[in-house]
Amino acid sequence: MPAPTPERTPATSPETSLRRMGFGPLEIAYDDSVLEPRPWTQAQSLWARELLDAAPAGRVLELCAGVGHIGLLAVHGTDRSIACVDLSPRAVELLVANAEANAMAAQVDVVHTDLARLPLDEERFALVVADPPWVPSAEVGRYPADPTLAIDGGPQGLDVARACIRAAGACLAGDGLLVLQLGTPEQAASLAPDLAAAGLRTVEVRALERGTLVRADRL
């Protein structure tokens, strides 16, 4: 995947509205226009980091990256590079700033694009990590503080997750790995046919404080 300069857009809120939080050893900036990083999602980063020890050579790909906290922590302190993909111009802007603020700019490429456009070239990745929106559309109103784009997963909460699975199937190396975050174990189970169609299979499911992680490998 190339490393284009991401589309930059003016901040949707003034600099004073930026907030920062610790995410492991990282400091992550965000604002009200993007999804606030959830501390418990560090578990996804740490599992991905653990799996990298046995993953094939190559870069990591993060889908639905948001401000980058999960992917950045997954490769922090390693010699792996990461390509981070998101649809939100503001999230991309903050992701670039977070990579720079944590001295990881040389390790991170940021791509502003839609999942449907992947893969962008012939590169195949050792590991894909994704935290897509998984809230069913009818329940989005329960979370007024969260941007709709960042949480609306369609009627069953699985539309974007399915797009991530298709992208992972197309972008992973032959023995690559996927670590996907969802809302519930039931959502994870219902995605088994989508994983199979992408040439993947569920290996393990783990419960988070809130949410569910799925590890999938090649069939």
Side-chain angles (χ1 to χ4, degrees):
M1 180 177 294
T5 301
E7 296 180 22
R8 298 299 186 97
T9 60
T12 56
S13 51
E15 180 69 20
T16 54
S17 73
L18 274 180
R19 300 192 294 282
R20 292 175 172 81
M21 67 176 294
F23 195 77
L26 306 180
E27 183 176 80
I28 300 297
Y30 63 98
D31 64 22
D32 289 339
S33 67
V34 297
L35 189 67
E36 180 179 351
R38 276 43 172 172
W40 59 84
T41 59
Q42 290 183 48
Q44 186 175 15
S45 304
L46 296 177
W47 197 10
R49 171 66 185 85
E50 176 186 328
L51 293 172
L52 280 176
D53 289 338
R59 295 200 295 171
V60 175
L61 174 63
E62 182 178 22
L63 307 176
C64 302
V67 296
H69 48 293
I70 293 172
L72 294 180
L73 183 57
V75 300
H76 183 260
T78 77
D79 60 0
R80 300 270 188 168
S81 296
I82 186 168
C84 300
V85 174
D86 202 89
L87 183 61
S88 162
R90 179 56 173 160
V92 163
E93 184 178 40
L94 287 167
L95 203 165
V96 170
N98 284 327
E100 292 172 350
N102 288 284
M104 297 180 68
Q107 199 173 353
V108 180
D109 291 330
V110 182
V111 184
H112 176 213
T113 193
D114 189 281
L115 294 173
R117 294 185 58 205
L118 300 179
L120 296 180
D121 63 14
E122 299 302 315
E123 181 179 7
R124 296 297 176 262
F125 294 83
L127 185 144
V128 172
V129 59
D131 179 17
W134 49 256
V135 177
S137 298
E139 299 179 23
V140 166
R142 294 170 54 191
Y143 309 98
D146 294 334
T148 299
L149 180 66
I151 64 171
D152 188 348
Q156 297 175 310
L158 295 175
D159 287 2
V160 188
R162 289 189 171 105
C164 285
I165 288 171
R166 290 192 293 270
C171 293
L172 276 171
D175 48 357
L177 312 168
L178 168 66
V179 182
L180 176 68
Q181 186 172 164
L182 299 166
T184 66
E186 291 75 19
Q187 285 184 325
S190 68
L191 288 174
D194 301 277
L195 288 165
L200 302 167
R201 63 184 177 90
T202 299
V203 174
E204 186 178 352
V205 177
R206 293 184 180 180
L208 297 180
E209 177 182 334
R210 301 179 191 176
T212 300
L213 294 179
V214 178
R215 171 191 168 178
D217 295 0
R218 286 290 189 189
L219 287 170

